[in-house]
Amino acid sequence: MNGTRRADIKPGLFVAIVMKQDQRTGDLTEGYVKDILTNSPTHPHGIKVRLETGEVGRVKEILEED
């Protein structure tokens, strides 16, 4: 599942994000969602989240449902 709908994402979910500095290369970072930073219900490039490690990026893929 991709990460363009805010309703699909909740804290504790295991996701793959692309951070701002990795957008050119497309390198993904995996981790657990701590905070959802996007307020709108959808975003074409992915919902912006903060992982428990403090990294911020847009969700490209939801890897594990809780």
Side-chain angles (χ1 to χ4, degrees), residues 2-4 40 42-47 58-60:
N2 68 10
T4 58
S40 62
T42 62
H43 192 286
H45 301 298
I47 300 299
R58 294 196 180 275
V59 177
K60 289 299 172 189

Side-chain angles (χ1 to χ4, degrees), residues 3-64:
T4 58
R5 289 183 58 227
R6 191 177 194 276
D8 295 338
I9 298 167
K10 42 193 173 298
L13 215 55
F14 190 62
V15 298
I17 65 168
V18 63
M19 294 190 291
K20 186 78 170 174
Q21 65 267 29
D22 295 334
Q23 283 177 346
R24 285 178 183 270
T25 61
D27 287 343
L28 296 179
T29 304
E30 295 178 356
Y32 291 93
V33 175
K34 181 179 180 187
D35 301 309
I36 301 171
L37 305 176
T38 299
N39 288 324
S40 62
T42 62
H43 192 286
H45 301 298
I47 300 299
K48 190 179 279 188
V49 297
R50 178 180 293 116
L51 301 181
E52 289 178 349
T53 57
E55 296 161 313
V56 174
R58 294 196 180 275
V59 177
K60 289 299 172 189
E61 197 176 348
I62 298 172
L63 301 175
E64 177 188 297

